[in-house]
Amino acid sequence: MDFRLSDDQRALRRGVRELLAGRFGREALRAAVDREGGLDRKLWRELGDAGFFALRLPEDEGGAGLGLPEAVLVFEEVGRVLLPGPLVATHLAAGSVPGAADGTAVVTAASELPSLVQHFEDADTVVVFASDGVPHRVDVPEAEAVPSLDPLTPLHRLPRPPLTPGPPPGAAVLLTAAEQLGSAARSTEEAVRHAKSRVQFGRPVGGFQAVGHLCAEMLVRTETARAAVYAAAVGGDLTEIAGAKLLADEAAVRGARDCLQVFGGMGFTWESDVHLHLKRALLRARRWLTTARAEEIQAQALASAF
């Protein structure tokens, strides 16, 4: 099986990266932090016009007719730039919830985090993915705002579960893993850039063995997670997806922590973006499939093999 990207897939990834560089650069990221994660509806519609949410819909339904491997490449790019919003839920709701496919509606999921819902005030529709894997629209008139670890992801606590959720859709888990992968790659790049440019005692800090080892370990974790995420996108097996989520969570969380170490005190300042990657990575690690549940799936698969 050939896992190398095709020319069309490379072009798709390049196009999304250029779009996000033009519309969600560092100034836009900081503006989003100042809005406490409030969504830019104009950008949301632009993403819809670009086919972001309708990527996997059939062409006769207005989509691009692409598959999960291509969606993984796109979500890896949004993870690199920390684009806020219920991107996965809206993407999964395209074709089921009016306005989701073209970005005129924001859809959030009440089954993404235990008892919590993200971007509740910005959302036009709240859905729950029940046991049939289909998004079911639910009526949630009010919810209590609670402090969020990630300044770009406002959270609300629901007064009660609106519907018993089913198992998390495999696509939702994998696309979240892809976001983690993008964040891990960006943290690695930023750590290497800083290690090469920051000079201490007359030489770049990357020349010190301890710093060099941190960067090397970040790269190994990122590339290992990339192989697992890409393979799971081709196979679509839930056990593989759970394994990919575990590896991507580790690459993103440990990568951001190591990046903080490479940056030193500067990385802990509000002006640095490194802490934003760490906070988002910690939150994503609890979305759709927790570490404990992913480990259970892996253990059950191993037990059934003997």
Side-chain angles (χ1 to χ4, degrees):
M1 186 176 291
D2 188 356
F3 288 106
R4 289 176 296 184
L5 301 183
S6 66
D7 291 341
D8 288 343
Q9 289 172 329
R10 290 192 188 92
L12 173 66
R13 181 173 63 182
R14 183 169 57 252
V16 174
R17 186 171 296 189
E18 291 174 355
L19 169 67
L20 293 174
R23 285 295 289 115
F24 198 73
R26 193 165 189 279
E27 289 186 5
L29 172 64
R30 286 291 156 175
V33 172
D34 293 339
R35 293 195 304 271
E36 299 180 343
L39 295 186
D40 179 350
R41 297 298 290 252
K42 182 180 178 183
L43 174 58
W44 201 262
R45 287 192 294 274
E46 289 181 18
L47 290 173
D49 291 340
F52 181 90
F53 301 113
L55 190 71
R56 294 190 300 134
L57 283 182
E59 293 183 15
D60 57 6
E61 295 181 21
L66 298 178
L68 200 52
E70 287 77 19
V72 159
L73 296 176
V74 170
F75 274 78
E76 184 180 345
E77 293 304 313
V78 301
R80 285 177 57 89
V81 299
L82 290 171
L83 187 67
L87 297 158
V88 173
T90 303
H91 176 86
L92 293 180
S96 299
V97 176
D102 61 10
T104 55
V106 175
V107 181
T108 192
S111 50
E112 186 170 358
L113 286 162
S115 304
L116 298 174
V117 60
Q118 62 163 317
H119 294 277
F120 176 77
E121 293 184 342
D122 280 315
D124 301 297
T125 303
V126 180
V127 299
V128 168
F129 290 88
S131 57
D132 55 6
V134 175
H136 292 264
R137 188 171 182 165
V138 293
D139 183 24
V140 184
E142 60 181 14
E144 176 191 4
V146 296
S148 175
L149 170 67
D150 177 15
L152 288 162
T153 308
L155 295 175
H156 282 70
R157 187 183 305 281
L158 302 178
R160 65 188 67 84
L163 187 67
T164 302
V173 178
L174 187 60
L175 295 179
T176 304
E179 289 185 87
Q180 292 284 59
L181 173 60
S183 181
R186 187 61 173 269
S187 294
T188 302
E189 293 167 5
E190 289 300 307
V192 171
R193 180 188 60 77
H194 184 78
K196 292 169 70 176
S197 61
R198 178 70 171 172
V199 175
Q200 287 288 328
F201 306 109
R203 59 172 174 166
V205 296
F208 296 104
Q209 194 174 52
V211 177
H213 279 182
L214 279 178
C215 294
E217 289 167 358
M218 291 171 67
L219 179 63
V220 169
R221 287 194 297 267
T222 299
E223 292 307 312
T224 302
R226 188 189 306 282
V229 170
Y230 286 8
V234 174
D237 177 75
L238 181 58
T239 302
E240 293 182 0
I241 290 174
K245 178 73 163 41
L246 278 173
L247 289 169
D249 285 345
E250 181 187 28
V253 172
R254 291 187 60 185
R257 284 175 171 158
D258 286 349
C259 189
L260 277 171
Q261 292 298 316
V262 173
F263 269 68
M266 187 187 305
F268 290 86
T269 63
W270 184 251
E271 289 73 19
S272 170
D273 294 342
V274 181
H275 68 96
L276 296 177
H277 277 278
L278 177 58
K279 291 168 181 172
R280 182 72 68 83
L282 287 167
L283 187 62
R284 283 199 202 102
R286 296 181 57 82
R287 282 169 43 190
W288 299 109
L289 192 66
T290 63
T291 299
R293 181 60 188 137
E295 289 174 342
E296 287 176 9
I297 292 173
Q298 293 292 300
Q300 290 168 359
L302 284 172
S304 64
F306 294 98

